Amino acid sequence: MDFRLTEDQRALRAGIRELLAGRFDRDRMRAALDGGGDIGRELWRELGTAGLFALRLPETAGGVGLGLPESVLAFDEIGRALLPGPLAATQLAAGVVKGAAEGEAVVALAEAGRPVGHLAQADALLVLDGDRARLLTGGVLRQVAGEARPVRSLDPGTPLWRVPDLAAYDGEPLPNGARVRREGALLTAAEQLGSAARSLESAVQHAGQREQFGTPIGAFQAVKHLCAGMLVRAETARTAVYAAAVTADPVEIAGAKLLADDAAVGNARDCLQVHGGMGFTWEADVHLHLKRAWLRAGQWLTAADAQEALAADLA
Amino acid sequence: MDLAYTDEEEEFRARLREWLTSVLPGLPEKPDPGDWPGRRAYDTGWQRLLHDAGYAGLNWPADAGGRGATPTQHLIFLEETERAGAPYVGANFVGLLHAGPTIAAEGTAAQRARWLPPVLRGDEIWCQGFSEPDAGSDLASLRTRAVRDGDDYVVSGQKIWTSHAEVADWCELLVRTDPAAPKHRGISWLAMRMDAPGVTVRPLRTLAGSTEFAEMFLDEVRVPVSHRVGAENDGWRVTMVTLSFERGTAFVGEVVACRRTLDALAAEARHNGRWDDTVLRRRLGRLNAEFRALWRLTQWNVSEAQSTGGVPGTGGSVFKLRYSHARQELYEAAAEVLGAGDALDLDREWVLDRLSSLSYTIAAGTSQIQRNIVAERILGLPKGR
C-alpha cells in the first residue's frame, strides 16, 4: 500500500495545471464569464489534444489508456481553475459521441427536474434517468433546444436552460447507466476538491496580507481557526475522493461526492468570510467558486441520494 | 496511488487473523471499568500474549526490542485486532505509545535495556506526568521543580490528568530543572518510580462517573539523575518526539471501532423502528462517509510516514481534529437511535460512550490547539494569540 501519488501522476497533474495557467488565466476566466459562460471551443479542442477527454479510452481506440485516478487529478485542476463547461459528461461520452474524445464536440448533461447547462453549445445531450443513461443528438437535440427556455443562471459561468420533460425523447442508450452516474459523480467531486483547495489558498493569502489592528488578520485565532477548518475539510475530502478513484466502489464514491460537495461549499463560504466586505463583491472570485460549487452539488449525485446509499451500506 | 496490500502484507494479515482466532476465545472475562487491579491484570495479560506471539512493539525499531515492522504492517495489526474485538492497549498505552518510543529514540543503551523489555512483556505499566493544574494547553509553563542534590533530583509539585496512575510502576515526568531559562528550555524528562516516597495519587472522578485518571502530588521525591532521558533542560524537544507518536498512530484502532459502532447503530435502528426516520437514517449515512474518509486519511498519513522514515507528520493534527468531532457526532446519533427514554439509561450501550466522547476534543491537545498547529505549521499563518 502506497497511497501517495506516483511520479507519473504528479507529472500529469503538473502538466494540466501548466496548460490551464497558460490558456485559462484569471483574465481569460473573467472574460469567459463576462461572455455569458462561453466554454471557448478553442480551449476545448486544446484540452482534447492534450488528451483530457480521451484519458480513459484504451490506446487501441486512440485514447490515453489511463484510469479514474488520473482523471480525478485532471478534474481537480479543472475545478481549481474554475474552467466552465460540461467536462465530466464529455469525458464520459468520449468514444461514443463523435468528436468528444478529440474535443470537437461538447456533451451537456441533463437530469430530471434540473436545468441543463451549456445547452446552446451542446452537440449531444447526456440524459441521466435513475440508473439509465442515453444520448440525444441531431434532430432530437435540436427539438429539445428549440423548446427550451433560458434561465437567469445563479452561476455566471454556466448558462442554464429549462428543458421540456425529457422522458418523451428517444436517444441512444448508453450501457451501464449506473456506472456513468457514479463516474460523473466522482469527476465532479474532483472538481469540487480543486475549488475547495483554491478557496483555502485564497483565504490564507488574504489572511497573511490584510492588516487590522496593526497585525495580519491571520495572526488572530478567530481567522486562523477558520482557515484550519478549511484545510481539514479539503484534506479529508481529498483522501476520500482519491481512494474512491482507486477502488471505484459505489458507496465510497457516494461518500467522496458528499464530502467534496461539503468542502467546496464550506470552503468558499469561509473564504468569503475571511475576505470580509471585499469577499462580498463581484470583483472577488470567491462568489464564483461558491456558485459553481452549489451547481455541482446538485449534479450527478445529490447529498440526499448519497446519504441514502451510504445508509443502505450499513449493517 | 495504490491501496492494494502486497503479498507479504496479506500473509502477515492472514497469520495475525489465524493467531487472533486461536487466542481470543481463551481470554478471561473483561473486568469492570472501576476495578483497576483487574484492568491492570487483564491489559498486561494481553500484552504478554502479544509478546510471546511476537507481536509486541511491532512498530518499534528492532534495536529497541521491537519487530521493526513497516507502518503499513502496524496499520494492519491495529485494524485486525480491533476488527476481531481483541483487547484495547489499555493500561499499556503510555508505555507502548509514549514513554517507550521516547526512550527508544532518546534514551541511552542502559536506559533502553532497563525500561523497554518490561513494557513489551507487559511487566511494567507507565503513566504520564505532563499536565499540571496551571499547565494544560500551555504545557511548557509547567512548574513542578527538580533540584539537583548529589546523584538525585529532588522533585516537588503537582500533576494532573495522570491516566493509569493508580496501577502504574513508572511515570514519564516533565519537570523544571532551570527556572531562570526561557520556559521551553528549562524542562527535563525523568522516569520516576510511582512507589517512591513522597508520591501521592488521588483519583479524579470524571463526568462519566469513572476514575480514568488522577491527580498526583510530589513532595520531595528523589529521582536518580541517571533516570533522566535526554540532556538536562532538553526535555521539551524530547517531549515533542513523544507527542508526534501520539498524534500519528494512537487513534488507528478507534476508527475501526467507530465503524463497528456505526454498523451496530444501524442494526439497532432497524430493530427499533427508528430507521424509518429519514433525517436520522441520512445522518447515519453521512457518518458512514465520515469514518470511511477517516480510514483513508489514516492510510494516507501512514503512506506519508512510511516515505519519511516512520515519524508521523502534521497529518496527525488534521486527523485528530476531524476524528474527535466525528466521534462525538457518532454518539449524538447513538442517543437519537436509542430514543428519549433509553438515552438516559446508563445501563444502555453507548450512553456512557456519549459521556466519554466529550473528552476527545480536549485530551491529547484541544481542538483549538490543533487548529493553531494546522494554521501555523501547515498553512504558514503568522503566530499570534
Side-chain angles (χ1 to χ4, degrees):
Chain A
M1 183 200 73
D2 186 358
F3 198 0
R4 293 172 310 143
L5 269 53
T6 63
E7 281 307 313
D8 285 351
Q9 286 169 337
R10 281 175 214 275
L12 174 86
R13 190 173 65 178
I16 303 268
R17 183 174 294 197
E18 204 177 316
L19 171 76
L20 290 176
R23 298 287 186 275
F24 196 71
D25 60 11
R26 186 167 185 277
D27 288 347
R28 296 275 298 267
M29 185 265 284
R30 280 286 175 166
L33 298 183
D34 293 344
D38 185 339
I39 59 165
R41 287 281 183 169
E42 199 185 324
L43 177 58
W44 204 261
R45 270 185 214 104
E46 279 188 64
L47 290 170
T49 308
L52 176 78
F53 301 116
L55 204 64
R56 289 191 294 136
L57 282 183
E59 288 178 59
T60 50
V64 188
L66 293 173
L68 268 178
E70 286 75 19
S71 273
V72 154
L73 293 174
F75 276 74
D76 191 343
E77 291 302 323
I78 284 165
R80 165 190 290 271
L82 212 55
L83 196 65
L87 292 128
T90 302
Q91 196 198 63
L92 284 161
V96 183
V97 169
K98 191 168 172 294
E102 296 79 18
E104 297 294 334
V106 171
V107 182
L109 170 71
E111 293 180 89
R114 292 175 219 162
V116 173
H118 303 282
L119 182 64
Q121 289 183 288
D123 302 296
L125 197 57
L126 172 62
V127 182
L128 274 187
D129 179 10
D131 276 351
R132 282 173 306 167
R134 64 187 197 281
L135 285 161
L136 308 189
T137 49
V140 180
L141 174 61
R142 278 194 296 279
Q143 199 184 341
V144 170
E147 290 175 35
R149 157 172 86 73
V151 174
R152 255 171 32 93
S153 176
L154 172 86
D155 173 14
T158 310
L160 293 172
W161 281 266
R162 282 193 199 286
V163 292
D165 180 11
L166 290 167
Y169 297 88
D170 281 336
E172 181 195 348
L174 272 177
N176 210 338
R179 184 172 149 186
V180 169
R181 180 182 287 281
R182 281 202 302 273
E183 293 183 354
L186 182 64
L187 297 179
T188 306
E191 287 185 69
Q192 297 284 53
L193 212 55
S195 176
R198 186 70 197 92
S199 291
L200 168 63
E201 281 171 18
S202 163
V204 168
Q205 190 183 15
H206 184 76
Q209 285 170 355
R210 166 77 172 164
E211 290 193 3
Q212 291 284 270
F213 307 103
T215 184
I217 60 170
F220 298 117
Q221 280 196 341
V223 174
K224 199 175 270 189
H225 287 192
L226 270 181
C227 294
M230 292 168 76
L231 178 103
V232 171
R233 245 188 240 128
E235 289 308 297
T236 309
R238 177 176 307 282
T239 50
V241 171
Y242 284 6
V246 174
T247 65
D249 174 75
V251 180
E252 195 141 14
I253 288 175
K257 177 67 163 46
L258 185 68
L259 296 183
D261 288 345
D262 280 356
V265 171
N267 279 13
R269 292 187 72 123
D270 285 352
C271 179
L272 198 156
Q273 181 69 21
V274 169
H275 277 77
M278 277 306 298
F280 192 65
T281 65
W282 191 269
E283 191 187 322
D285 293 344
V286 186
H287 69 109
L288 303 174
H289 279 279
L290 179 59
K291 290 163 178 174
R292 188 70 55 81
W294 275 333
L295 178 93
R296 285 188 293 236
Q299 289 176 332
W300 300 98
L301 189 65
T302 62
D305 288 340
Q307 285 165 16
E308 291 290 358
L310 285 151
D313 167 65
L314 293 172
Chain B
M1 264 187 263
D2 183 8
L3 289 168
Y5 294 91
T6 64
D7 288 349
E8 256 181 315
E9 287 161 351
E10 289 297 355
E11 258 172 55
F12 172 81
R13 186 195 297 275
R15 276 200 312 277
L16 175 59
R17 271 191 189 169
E18 202 178 312
W19 179 74
L20 287 166
T21 311
S22 71
V23 77
L24 290 182
L27 284 187
E29 187 105 337
K30 248 192 174 137
D32 184 83
D35 172 14
W36 273 99
R39 282 172 68 172
R40 175 181 167 132
Y42 184 82
D43 294 343
T44 54
W46 171 243
Q47 183 60 31
R48 170 62 76 137
L49 281 175
L50 287 174
H51 175 267
D52 292 349
Y55 290 115
L58 205 57
N59 61 331
W60 287 20
D63 62 1
R67 314 295 299 177
T70 63
T72 304
Q73 281 175 324
H74 190 221
L75 183 79
I76 293 170
F77 172 80
L78 294 166
E79 184 184 8
E80 290 300 326
T81 45
E82 182 55 49
R83 197 168 271 167
Y88 181 60
V89 61
N92 293 301
F93 183 89
V94 174
L96 280 170
L97 283 102
H98 285 233
T102 305
I103 294 165
E106 300 286 335
T108 63
Q111 289 173 335
R112 290 154 72 128
R114 166 61 189 88
W115 285 314
L116 298 183
V119 167
L120 294 177
R121 279 197 307 266
D123 289 346
E124 288 183 345
I125 296 293
W126 285 69
C127 64
Q128 188 185 64
F130 283 10
S131 297
E132 298 182 6
D134 290 323
S137 290
D138 184 13
L139 180 59
S141 70
L142 62 90
R143 287 195 299 221
T144 292
R145 285 194 59 179
V147 180
R148 268 303 257 276
D149 180 26
D151 290 338
D152 289 341
Y153 288 106
V154 178
V155 182
S156 292
Q158 186 187 348
K159 293 289 174 178
I160 197 166
W161 320 129
T162 316
S163 302
H164 314 300
E166 287 168 87
V167 291
D169 305 288
W170 291 92
C171 178
E172 52 166 349
L173 193 70
L174 286 186
V175 293
R176 187 160 299 286
T177 32
D178 182 359
K183 69 177 187 177
H184 291 84
R185 303 226 181 101
I187 294 171
S188 299
W189 196 107
L190 304 181
M192 179 187 77
R193 282 204 69 96
M194 289 298 284
D195 61 1
V199 178
T200 307
V201 170
R202 188 195 294 162
L204 282 168
R205 194 170 183 207
T206 72
L207 58 75
S210 58
T211 54
E212 283 304 307
F213 36 58
E215 311 180 89
M216 191 165 67
F217 299 89
L218 306 169
D219 182 17
E220 302 200 341
V221 182
R222 297 193 82 86
V223 178
V225 171
S226 62
H227 287 189
R228 187 191 68 230
V229 172
E232 188 169 86
N233 300 326
D234 194 30
W236 185 255
R237 191 189 55 77
V238 174
T239 303
M240 288 303 111
V241 172
T242 317
L243 291 181
S244 74
F245 279 101
E246 176 177 5
R247 285 177 195 149
T249 52
F251 302 99
V252 170
E254 297 185 37
V255 177
V256 182
C258 286
R259 279 173 50 176
R260 290 193 347 169
T261 301
L262 190 56
D263 276 336
L265 282 181
E268 171 78 16
R270 286 195 169 102
H271 175 73
N272 71 10
R274 301 282 287 135
W275 192 253
D276 296 336
D277 178 339
T278 304
V279 174
L280 177 60
R281 190 176 63 242
R282 289 182 182 173
R283 189 171 171 187
L284 296 178
R286 179 171 281 273
L287 281 165
N288 188 10
E290 194 71 34
F291 287 108
R292 279 168 168 268
L294 281 164
W295 177 249
R296 297 309 189 187
L297 193 54
T298 301
Q299 289 180 314
W300 181 269
N301 286 342
V302 165
S303 292
E304 289 285 324
Q306 192 137 295
S307 71
T308 57
V311 178
T314 38
S317 287
V318 174
F319 176 85
K320 205 246 174 197
L321 266 169
R322 186 87 181 196
Y323 164 77
S324 54
H325 290 270
R327 188 152 174 194
Q328 288 175 351
E329 280 171 34
L330 176 69
Y331 289 110
E332 289 310 307
E336 284 264 322
V337 169
L338 287 172
D342 284 358
L344 297 176
D345 180 351
L346 279 174
D347 285 331
R348 282 307 310 261
E349 199 184 355
W350 307 316
V351 177
L352 270 178
D353 294 330
R354 185 189 190 190
L355 294 175
S356 301
S357 75
L358 295 170
S359 74
Y360 298 134
T361 46
I362 301 169
T366 64
S367 289
Q368 286 65 37
I369 291 291
Q370 301 295 338
R371 288 192 190 103
N372 284 352
I373 291 173
V374 167
E376 289 167 12
R377 295 195 209 153
I378 303 181
L379 295 175
L381 285 171
K383 281 204 169 259
R385 46 187 61 246

